[in-house]
Structure formats: C-alpha cells, structure tokens
Amino acid sequence: MQRRPFLATLGATAAAFTTGARAQEPRRAGKKLGWALVGLGTLSKNQLAPALQKTKHSRLAAIVTGTPAKAKEWQEKYSIPDTHVYNYETFDKIAENPDVDVIFVVLPNSMHEEFVIRGAKAGKHVFCEKPMANTADECRRMIAAMKEAGKQLGIGYRCQFEPHHRECMRLAREKVFGPLKFIEAGFGFQIGDPTQWRLRKDLAGGGALMDVGVYALQACRYLTGEEPVEITAQETKTDPVKFAEVDETISWSMKFPSGVIASVMTTYAFNGANFFTAICEGGRFGMDPAYSYGGLKGWTSKPEVKIEFPAIDHFEAEMDAFSQAILEGKRFEPAGEEGLKDLLAVEAIYRSIKEGKAVKVETV
Amino acid sequence: MQRRPFLATLGATAAAFTTGARAQEPRRAGKKLGWALVGLGTLSKNQLAPALQKTKHSRLAAIVTGTPAKAKEWQEKYSIPDTHVYNYETFDKIAENPDVDVIFVVLPNSMHEEFVIRGAKAGKHVFCEKPMANTADECRRMIAAMKEAGKQLGIGYRCQFEPHHRECMRLAREKVFGPLKFIEAGFGFQIGDPTQWRLRKDLAGGGALMDVGVYALQACRYLTGEEPVEITAQETKTDPVKFAEVDETISWSMKFPSGVIASVMTTYAFNGANFFTAICEGGRFGMDPAYSYGGLKGWTSKPEVKIEFPAIDHFEAEMDAFSQAILEGKRFEPAGEEGLKDLLAVEAIYRSIKEGKAVKVETV
C-alpha cells in the first residue's frame, strides 16, 4: 500500500547502479536550478515565491533586496541562509555563489537593464519581468550582454505558457477558423496607490501601456505570428494629477503584414477590459478574462470547438520552462528578442501619440 | 367563447355613437399614413414592403422606380394603382397625390439629397435611409429644405427603436453599471457582388464606413449621449481591385467630452464583427450580434441584470414611430440633425485617414 516510498526507493537504487554518462541523466532530470529573486515586491511575495515552492525544476535559492527587514522575513519563511542574501550593492558577489543558476529580475522597469547586465556579468542565466525595459535600445544592450556572457535570457511572458493562450495561438496559426482577419484586444485596471513606482515615468517608463497594455499587444503578436508594421495611437487622460507622468488610457490600431488589423486598448483608469477577440474568415474565438493570474475563459463561435483547460500557475510554468530549457541545453523562448519586439511596438505607440499620426514600427 | 369578434363589435358600436371632437380620436388613431417608397432595391423589397403590411400607422401607398418591370411586379403584388406609380422624372407630381403623406428615400446615398429636397418641395414628410447623405453639407441643405417646407425629416436609424438597444442606452445613460468609460464596437461583413453601387464612390460616398460603420458609430453616440470631439482613424485595404473606390476596413478611436473613449471598426472584407461592449466603472454590458435585422443578443456582467426582449421588426417600428409622430404632431427623433452628426464624425474619420493624424470633429 506504500506505493510512493517503494517507487522512490526503486528509483534511488536504480540510479545508484548506473555509471558514467547514463548516470547523469536521472541526476540532471531531477536537479532543480537555484533561482535568485531580485526585488521583493508584491509579485515576488505573492506569486513568485509561492510558485517556487511548487516548481519541479526550479527552487528559491537566494534573494536580493534593498530592505533588510524584508530579507529577514524571507529568510525565516523560506529558510534562506545569510550567504544567499544580497542587496543592490553586494549583488555582483552572486557570481561566486554556485547555488544560484538563474537571476530573476523583478525590479521596476527602469532597473531591468542594469540588473540583467550585472546578472550576465555574474555569469548567470537571467529571467526578466515584462516589460523587458523602458526602451528598445535598453533591450538591445541587454541582449548583447547576455550573448557575450553565453547565458540565456528569458522574458516573463507568462501567458505564453498558459494552455488557453497556447490553444488560441494554435487556432489562429493553424487557421482552424480560417485566416485571421481582425483582433480586438484590451487590458486595463483601475490603479490604486498614487505613490507607487508604476506611476513614475523614471521608474516605469510609461503607464498602463508598459504595465498591462503589453499583454494585449503580445496577444496580437502571438496570434498573428507577425510583427506590426504601422501603428496609429491615441491617448486620453481624465486624471492629469494622478497620471501626470505616465499614460492613463491608450487605444491603438496595428496593421500586420498579412493584412490583419488589431484594435487594442489599455488603461489604468478602470476595470473591465481583459480580453481578446480573434475574428477569422470562418468564425471567431477569444478569451475573456484573458490576462488574469487565474479564472481565464476561452470561447469560440462554434459550439463544437471549445477552449477549456484546467487552471495552472503561470509563474510556476514560466520558471520551470526556463529551468528546463537550461537543463536540456535548448534555447528558451520567449527570449530577449521577444521583449525587444514589444518595445519597438510600444515606442511606435508613444511616437504615434506624440506626433499625432500613423507611424511605422522600427524593425529589430 | 368568441371573445375577439365580440370585442370588435363592441368597439365598432362605441365608435359609431361618438360625435364631434371625440369622434375624431379613434379616427385619427386609426388612420394610416400613406408611404411612398423611392427606390425598389433589396431593402425595399425584402424589408420595407413586408414591414408596411404589418404597420399600424403606415401603409404602402405609392412607389417610385426607374425600372418599369419592377413597377409592374410591385403593382400586382401590392395592388398599387397606376396613379400611384412614379419614376424619377415624374416624381415631383407626387405633390398632387393626397394619398401620399411620407416619402421614404431608399436610393443610393448620393441621391438622398436630391430626393429629400424634391420631397420637401412636394410638401411631404420625408424619411431617409442611413447614411443620411455623402457629406455633412448635403445634410445641412436637406435639413434646411425640410425646415422651409415645414415638414418632418426622419432618418432610418432602426436600432434606435429596437428594445435591446434602447435598454442599453438606458443602462448607459442611467449609469446602472456606473459611469461609462470605454466602448468597443464594430460592424462589418464580407460584401459580395463587386458591381453593386455600394462599391462606387460616386453613388455610395464611401465603403464599409458609410454603409455599416455608421451603426457602430451610432451606438457609441447614443450610449454616451455625446458627440465625439477627436478622432484617429486608420484604413486597411487588402483587395485594392474590389475596393478601388471605397474603403474596405477602417478602425478608429473617438474621444468624447466626458472622457469616454470608443474604439470602433468596420469592414467590407469579412464577417464576424457585429457588436458593441460598454465598459463601465462597475461592470460591463453589450450586444453581439448587435446590428442584424434579427437574432440580437444582449449581455451584462451581472447575472441579475439581463437584456432580453422579444424580436421586433425594426422597419415596422421605425416607420410607425415616424407616422405616429406626424399623426400626434410631435417632433420625430432621430431627425436630420442626427444624420448630420454622424456625417460630421464620418468626415472626421476620412480626414484623419487622409491626413494620417488625429483630427477634431466639426460641430453642427
């Protein structure tokens, strides 16, 4: 009746008897890469650390924070030794810690470039939250640094690992409803605390577009499998005090090379937009809500085609996928180029708003 | 057990015994205004004439057509005497026909102005299909002519009489889901016959926007109860042969004075867009399909708030509402100003596309 202990024993015994190259396989498959979380904000606290308790190929190995009280709290909660705690000054010593395989940069957007490049110089693989950076040029320097270090760079596009989204990509790419013609997409929410870094241009680079608009932008890009060539955008500000530095609501239109048009919006001013709709020649499908951490729902215009999957932890999925790619020596996607492509579109959106006209999107 | 015949007899008897002013009431309430259909295309044939068999206050009295074969067919089908048949040359003699109260202009858009003004000069009330005309200036001249004639001008915005739409207007205007924040709307279809007048700029004035885009535009205007102040639009053409003269797909963004933004699209290239979604501070509601002649569906984000009504004949409703307004001496809405306001937005959309930038919408 003790099935699990028995099998575990059998596995250990089998491993003990193998030698040489073959012996490494079970060891490598069983190894969990050590992750260091850089920045212990709400995402790290509420999503990433809990996810790292469930991951199969990843484990929380170290923390980097500028707040000693947070370090103490985390050390106690996750049994992290003093040797695995860094602040932003001591961060580079992480190079000497063999227990850390991956640096996860969870800092305000403006700090991504610095810490990705410092991570590269420390000889670690780096995973970076979206948006990858504040500008395309920052992305380019980050990609170059990682390439020079010969390490992998992954971007935290969690939806790309989520089964509803993956199924929608398949429906679009395999033309299950015929060729894709039009995408409507939007993601926004009513932002709270007016003092947070997300409302500061120097830290966040922008507002709703940088934070949540990129999800809707991503959806358009991965449904089409194409890069937008022309963008027309319009910004609206109803609260010029709260949104003195960053964008509040933006709606934009993107033309893709195949003729697909995407009409997209993002906002920090209200809840309710959290969707995409793909209109194809032979039907429609979409998700609503589409970008939340859970409770996602897919739908199609054909009763016989359903988009239904069990809920997963998006963060567990993305981190394990990154670890697995490293363990198996495969290139991880979405990599830095994916983040760069988003930023090129984001820059085109801001440029279109500033110039008040349609603009071409720069290419990689 | 013969309840209905009994009540009918009672009604007739009661009417027979009333005299003077009171006697006129049942007579006036019972009077059906005579409608002349100008242009016997598919809308007249498949929608308007059948609707006029059901209307309570309106009846098909006369026809105006340039095709003698059509006249013959219609005369036989609807028992229309020769004295009530006109062509585009003899049209003005309709002034002498006391049996015709209302002229319904169902011609290609470019002919609306001429026949509305000739209808005004004939001393008739005029009902005109949407879009009201090809330009705002045409609308202004039509309004002026009707004002001079002292007759009513109604525009065929059938959705304004449809109960799902009316309920959505109420939900938005009464802020049942809190203040309105954002509207997504779209209407389009894959147009067939490449030789039809709708694809000729001289006759239709434009393409999808003029024909079906105005429905989505209208929805944004009557949900907000406001006029857009700024518009950014983008056009896409995937079939430059079929759409050599008119627009194929347009997406545009409109800013309203209250801060509401509408993201709207229209197309002649594909089916599937036939909706609006209203995002409010406390929830969402919308319709999909929204603009078809039947089968409309409303939805809301709150299970306790439903948008469910029996199907009605939109054309029957709009024509009877016009007749009723005339019979009761009340001003009919939507009147010419409503058509003009749509055209001002339409012109801004085309101007934005041409100039490749955000433009202000002209005011009435």
Side-chain angles (χ1 to χ4, degrees):
Chain A
M1 298 299 286
Q2 286 180 306
R3 194 172 172 81
R4 215 174 294 174
F6 171 75
L7 285 177
T9 309
L10 186 71
T13 310
F17 278 93
T18 54
T19 54
R22 282 190 62 199
Q24 286 174 14
E25 281 171 23
R27 197 184 161 268
R28 205 175 66 183
K31 179 174 185 234
K32 285 188 174 186
L33 294 191
W35 285 58
L37 294 183
V38 185
L40 303 182
T42 53
L43 189 74
S44 288
K45 185 179 174 181
N46 300 331
Q47 310 301 331
L48 305 180
L52 283 166
Q53 308 311 303
K54 298 184 281 179
T55 39
K56 287 191 191 67
H57 310 290
S58 320
R59 63 186 166 80
L60 177 57
I63 51 175
V64 184
T65 176
T67 314
K70 275 190 192 173
K72 194 164 175 288
E73 190 190 322
W74 279 64
Q75 283 189 262
E76 279 169 18
K77 188 165 184 183
Y78 295 110
S79 311
I80 301 168
D82 287 345
T83 52
H84 290 53
V85 178
Y86 303 86
N87 61 34
Y88 301 128
E89 287 72 44
T90 62
F91 171 79
D92 307 289
K93 292 196 175 158
I94 210 162
E96 298 152 25
N97 190 337
D99 208 28
V100 173
D101 302 290
V102 179
I103 305 284
F104 193 163
V105 179
V106 204
L107 296 163
N109 308 340
S110 64
M111 299 169 78
H112 287 187
E113 181 192 3
E114 177 188 342
F115 279 83
V116 167
I117 292 177
R118 284 170 75 179
K121 287 187 176 156
K124 306 294 184 184
H125 300 287
V126 181
F127 200 74
C128 180
E129 250 309 301
K130 45 59 49 186
M132 184 171 163
N134 282 354
T135 69
D137 280 343
E138 288 174 14
C139 295
R140 290 189 177 103
R141 290 193 292 266
M142 291 154 81
I143 292 167
M146 294 305 303
K147 198 175 174 184
E148 204 185 311
K151 296 289 173 180
Q152 297 227 40
L153 171 61
I155 310 298
Y157 289 121
R158 58 187 172 79
C159 293
Q160 294 204 22
F161 300 91
E162 199 286 325
H164 296 79
H165 283 265
R166 296 184 71 88
E167 175 65 1
C168 288
M169 287 181 215
R170 189 189 72 82
L171 293 173
R173 305 280 189 92
E174 295 180 10
K175 301 183 174 40
V176 174
F177 291 81
L180 184 58
K181 293 293 181 177
F182 200 91
I183 303 169
E184 302 263 346
F187 191 26
F189 72 100
Q190 190 170 24
I191 202 163
D193 177 13
T195 66
Q196 64 189 289
W197 69 262
R198 291 182 189 285
L199 296 173
R200 285 183 51 187
K201 188 164 169 57
D202 57 344
L203 295 177
L209 176 60
M210 293 294 280
D211 184 21
V212 287
V214 290
Y215 283 97
L217 167 62
Q218 268 271 306
C220 299
R221 291 184 49 248
Y222 57 59
L223 287 167
T224 56
E226 298 178 1
E227 299 309 316
V229 286
E230 188 185 306
I231 290 182
T232 309
Q234 195 176 40
E235 187 190 352
T236 301
K237 211 169 283 238
T238 63
D239 187 341
V241 176
K242 189 169 186 178
F243 303 103
E245 298 191 12
V246 300
D247 45 290
E248 177 188 314
T249 303
I250 294 176
S251 54
W252 73 96
S253 187
M254 295 189 281
K255 289 186 188 183
F256 288 88
S258 60
V260 172
I261 303 124
S263 177
V264 199
M265 60 77 68
T266 186
T267 186
Y268 265 165
F270 51 88
N271 298 313
N274 185 347
F275 74 101
F276 66 78
T277 300
I279 302 178
C280 307
E281 209 165 276
R284 298 183 299 168
F285 63 91
M287 292 181 63
D288 189 346
Y291 314 106
S292 312
Y293 297 160
L296 304 187
K297 280 187 189 153
W299 61 270
T300 86
S301 59
K302 295 184 180 176
E304 70 274 22
V305 185
K306 296 203 187 305
I307 304 172
E308 287 173 0
F309 297 92
I312 66 155
D313 183 321
H314 305 183
F315 300 97
E316 178 189 353
E318 69 176 7
M319 289 190 283
D320 259 355
F322 191 64
S323 289
Q324 212 168 353
I326 291 164
L327 286 165
E328 294 174 359
K330 291 178 183 166
R331 180 178 158 84
F332 176 82
E333 290 288 350
E337 289 71 16
E338 183 77 0
L340 169 60
K341 286 170 185 170
D342 267 3
L343 259 297
L344 289 169
V346 163
E347 289 187 343
I349 292 166
Y350 284 131
R351 203 162 61 242
S352 173
I353 291 167
K354 196 179 167 189
E355 297 179 9
K357 65 180 191 186
V359 300
K360 301 289 172 198
V361 183
E362 270 185 41
T363 50
V364 173
Chain B
M1 301 298 285
Q2 286 180 306
R3 193 172 172 82
R4 215 174 295 176
F6 171 75
L7 284 178
T9 309
L10 186 71
T13 311
F17 278 92
T18 55
T19 54
R22 284 193 58 199
Q24 285 177 17
E25 281 170 24
R27 194 184 162 269
R28 206 176 65 184
K31 179 173 190 238
K32 285 187 174 187
L33 294 191
W35 285 59
L37 293 183
V38 187
L40 304 181
T42 53
L43 188 74
S44 288
K45 186 178 174 182
N46 300 331
Q47 310 301 332
L48 304 180
L52 283 166
Q53 309 310 303
K54 298 183 280 178
T55 39
K56 287 188 190 70
H57 310 290
S58 321
R59 64 189 165 77
L60 176 58
I63 51 175
V64 184
T65 176
T67 314
K70 275 192 192 173
K72 194 163 175 287
E73 190 190 322
W74 279 64
Q75 283 189 266
E76 280 169 17
K77 188 165 184 185
Y78 295 109
S79 310
I80 302 167
D82 288 344
T83 51
H84 288 54
V85 177
Y86 304 86
N87 61 34
Y88 301 127
E89 286 73 46
T90 62
F91 170 80
D92 307 288
K93 291 194 175 160
I94 211 163
E96 299 152 24
N97 189 335
D99 210 27
V100 172
D101 302 291
V102 179
I103 306 283
F104 193 163
V105 179
V106 204
L107 297 162
N109 308 341
S110 64
M111 300 169 76
H112 287 187
E113 181 191 3
E114 178 188 342
F115 279 83
V116 166
I117 292 175
R118 284 169 75 179
K121 287 185 178 160
K124 306 294 184 185
H125 300 286
V126 181
F127 200 74
C128 180
E129 248 311 302
K130 47 59 46 189
M132 184 171 163
N134 282 354
T135 67
D137 280 344
E138 289 174 15
C139 295
R140 289 189 177 104
R141 290 192 293 266
M142 292 155 81
I143 292 168
M146 293 306 302
K147 197 175 173 184
E148 204 184 311
K151 296 289 173 181
Q152 296 226 41
L153 171 60
I155 309 300
Y157 290 120
R158 59 186 171 80
C159 292
Q160 293 203 22
F161 300 94
E162 199 286 323
H164 295 78
H165 284 264
R166 295 185 73 87
E167 175 64 1
C168 287
M169 287 181 216
R170 189 189 71 82
L171 293 174
R173 305 281 189 93
E174 295 182 8
K175 301 183 174 38
V176 175
F177 290 81
L180 184 59
K181 294 292 181 176
F182 200 91
I183 302 169
E184 303 263 346
F187 191 26
F189 71 101
Q190 191 170 24
I191 202 162
D193 177 14
T195 66
Q196 64 190 288
W197 69 263
R198 292 183 187 286
L199 296 173
R200 286 183 50 188
K201 188 165 169 58
D202 58 344
L203 294 178
L209 177 60
M210 292 293 279
D211 184 21
V212 287
V214 290
Y215 283 98
L217 168 61
Q218 267 271 306
C220 299
R221 291 184 48 248
Y222 56 59
L223 287 168
T224 56
E226 298 178 2
E227 298 310 316
V229 287
E230 188 185 307
I231 290 180
T232 309
Q234 194 176 40
E235 188 190 352
T236 303
K237 212 168 281 231
T238 62
D239 187 341
V241 176
K242 188 170 188 179
F243 303 103
E245 298 191 12
V246 300
D247 44 289
E248 177 188 315
T249 303
I250 293 176
S251 54
W252 74 95
S253 186
M254 296 189 279
K255 289 186 187 183
F256 289 88
S258 60
V260 172
I261 304 124
S263 177
V264 200
M265 60 78 67
T266 186
T267 186
Y268 265 165
F270 51 88
N271 297 316
N274 186 346
F275 74 100
F276 67 77
T277 301
I279 302 178
C280 307
E281 210 166 275
R284 300 184 298 167
F285 63 90
M287 292 181 63
D288 189 346
Y291 314 106
S292 313
Y293 297 161
L296 305 188
K297 279 187 190 153
W299 61 271
T300 85
S301 58
K302 296 185 181 176
E304 69 274 20
V305 184
K306 296 203 187 304
I307 304 172
E308 287 174 0
F309 297 93
I312 66 157
D313 184 320
H314 305 184
F315 301 98
E316 178 191 354
E318 69 176 9
M319 289 190 282
D320 259 355
F322 192 65
S323 289
Q324 211 168 353
I326 291 164
L327 288 164
E328 295 175 358
K330 291 178 183 165
R331 180 178 160 85
F332 176 81
E333 289 287 351
E337 289 71 16
E338 182 78 0
L340 169 59
K341 286 171 186 171
D342 267 3
L343 257 299
L344 289 169
V346 164
E347 289 187 344
I349 291 167
Y350 284 131
R351 204 162 61 242
S352 174
I353 291 167
K354 196 177 168 191
E355 298 179 9
K357 63 180 191 185
V359 300
K360 300 291 172 197
V361 184
E362 269 185 41
T363 51
V364 171

